[in-house]
Amino acid sequence: MIVSQSYYLETYKGVETAEFDRLNDISQMFVENLTKHDEARLLNLSETALERVRKAICAEIEYLCSLGGTKAVNAKQDVQKVSESYSGSYSYSLDSKSMASIRYVNGIPYAPMVDIYLSETGLLYSGVNYV
């Protein structure tokens, strides 16, 4: 694993969760999928780039926690209804976490901070290098 629980809690200052191991595994696979790099290739990056990868994984763990933990992986967030309104014969609900603002990649919620951490590394570039 690229991120240890002690790194997540002590260095990143992430929220404590009983699901850490599972969310860490999911988040690392998510970052590997985004970057098209497996763990071995990520671990061979420069220390600066590797640190950004670690932070991206931690951001994804924390984001999944905020959306309900492992339930969020299959788009089953714990969203609390805060109000319900009626307009003629239609009703609609407003939720504490707007479903429209959550971005998904392959069905998994995507933490906005992942882009910020990885953007400077070049790992999000999926273009083809020509010889």
Side-chain angles (χ1 to χ4, degrees):
M1 295 264 80
I2 294 173
V3 173
S4 67
Q5 190 167 11
S6 62
Y7 177 90
Y8 174 74
L9 293 172
E10 296 164 17
T11 304
Y12 184 78
K13 308 289 187 211
V15 240
E16 202 160 328
T17 174
E19 296 183 297
F20 176 80
D21 290 334
R22 180 107 189 271
L23 293 175
N24 185 21
D25 188 44
I26 292 165
S27 298
Q28 181 172 319
M29 285 190 298
F30 182 75
V31 168
E32 287 175 9
N33 182 267
L34 280 177
T35 63
K36 308 296 186 247
H37 283 61
D38 63 8
E39 182 176 357
R41 286 180 70 189
L42 291 172
L43 288 171
N44 283 325
L45 295 171
S46 70
E47 189 54 41
T48 303
L50 181 57
E51 185 64 18
R52 286 181 166 269
V53 168
R54 285 186 187 114
K55 288 180 180 180
I57 292 169
C58 289
E60 185 65 18
I61 293 168
E62 196 166 53
Y63 192 62
L64 291 175
C65 283
S66 77
L67 294 174
T70 54
K71 290 186 230 173
V73 175
N74 294 314
K76 299 177 186 172
Q77 296 82 355
D78 288 339
V79 179
Q80 298 175 337
K81 188 186 304 178
V82 292
S83 69
E84 187 163 304
S85 301
Y86 293 90
S87 175
S89 60
Y90 298 97
S91 71
Y92 59 94
S93 301
L94 300 175
D95 300 319
S96 60
K97 292 184 174 93
S98 172
M99 299 301 283
S101 68
I102 299 173
R103 192 170 86 181
Y104 294 88
V105 171
N106 296 327
I108 298 175
Y110 188 146
M113 287 300 295
V114 170
D115 279 342
I116 293 169
Y117 286 128
L118 295 179
S119 64
E120 296 296 316
T121 65
L123 292 170
L124 297 177
Y125 175 71
S126 60
V128 177
N129 292 326
Y130 292 95
V131 181

